[in-house]
Amino acid sequence: MKTKMLFRIILYIIGLNILALGTTLFACGKLGVSSLVSVPQTLSFIIHTTLGHATTIFFIVLVLVQLIIVRKFELKIVLQLVLAFVFGWLVDFYGLTVGLKRIPLDGYAERIPVTILAILCTALGIFMMVKASFVLIPADGFVNVISDKLHMPFGQMKFCFDASMIIITILLGLIFLHRITSIGIGTILAVLFVGQLINLLNLITNKIKKA
């Protein structure tokens, strides 16, 4: 039992780091980020802060909205606040401390592979965190609360959430920056392939278990 719990904790921590790395790589590729951080990245441009700080702010808002909706103290939601700070710190750690954002990428020949790697990291990170079954990231926690409230399937609500994040990102960019930012081919590829890759990883692990 203790060994299984330790494995889940390690799996969760590794998954969280891989997801944060994927988020940073999207920003480095400059071909559009995933819907998960499209609003935070645009927010970082507007208020002149780091992507990590903006992500933390956005995640805190999502957690507070969840608490308002459920109207009661739920530990699984409150713990998302801790995750918001940790995830934001990790994004800046990989981007600024490690220095990934300072690596110059010239042209699509360099940016496309980085964006593809970002998609792979995002899918793998989410897959590992879901398998570990601990605290949801605030975005997924928000989707979970709304889907329960409206009695909608999680997958359907997740699609609506991602679409709304893209729309909000476009509106924020046009209103405050007078241009569209954070949305690009990378965003479209993430929408198309992150979910499919997670399904593929689930299929592979299920087959390994049955073998």
Side-chain angles (χ1 to χ4, degrees), residues 35-36 38 143 157-167 191:
S35 58
L36 174 67
S38 59
V143 171
M157 193 64 234
K158 174 67 173 171
F159 178 81
C160 293
F161 175 80
D162 289 344
S164 66
M165 290 301 99
I166 293 173
I167 293 170
V191 171

Side-chain angles (χ1 to χ4, degrees), residues 47-77:
I47 64 177
H48 304 290
T49 189
T50 66
L51 177 58
H53 288 163
T55 302
T56 298
I57 292 168
F58 178 64
F59 279 2
I60 289 173
V61 171
L62 292 180
V63 173
L64 293 177
V65 172
Q66 289 180 66
L67 291 172
I68 291 171
I69 291 172
V70 300
R71 296 182 181 180
K72 61 181 178 180
F73 178 91
E74 288 193 12
L75 184 60
K76 65 179 181 179
I77 295 178

Side-chain angles (χ1 to χ4, degrees), residues 135-150:
V135 183
L136 292 173
I137 59 172
D140 287 343
F142 177 83
V143 171
N144 189 52
V145 166
I146 296 296
S147 63
D148 284 346
K149 195 75 174 178
L150 300 179

Side-chain angles (χ1 to χ4, degrees), residues 106-126:
D106 299 319
Y108 288 101
E110 294 179 356
R111 291 179 179 179
I112 290 175
V114 170
T115 300
I116 292 173
L117 183 59
I119 292 170
L120 293 172
C121 286
T122 300
L124 180 60
I126 293 173

Side-chain angles (χ1 to χ4, degrees), residues 17 20-21 24-25 28 89-103:
N17 275 268
L21 178 60
T24 303
L25 289 173
C28 294
W89 181 86
L90 284 172
V91 169
D92 281 345
F93 171 76
Y94 287 114
L96 302 177
T97 306
V98 175
L100 293 180
K101 290 192 73 175
R102 291 191 292 271
I103 299 174

Side-chain angles (χ1 to χ4, degrees), residues 119-120 123-124 127 189-204:
I119 292 170
L120 293 172
L124 180 60
F127 168 76
L189 291 174
V191 171
L192 291 175
F193 292 109
V194 168
Q196 296 301 319
L197 285 169
I198 293 172
N199 290 337
L200 178 62
L201 289 169
N202 274 316
L203 182 65
I204 292 171

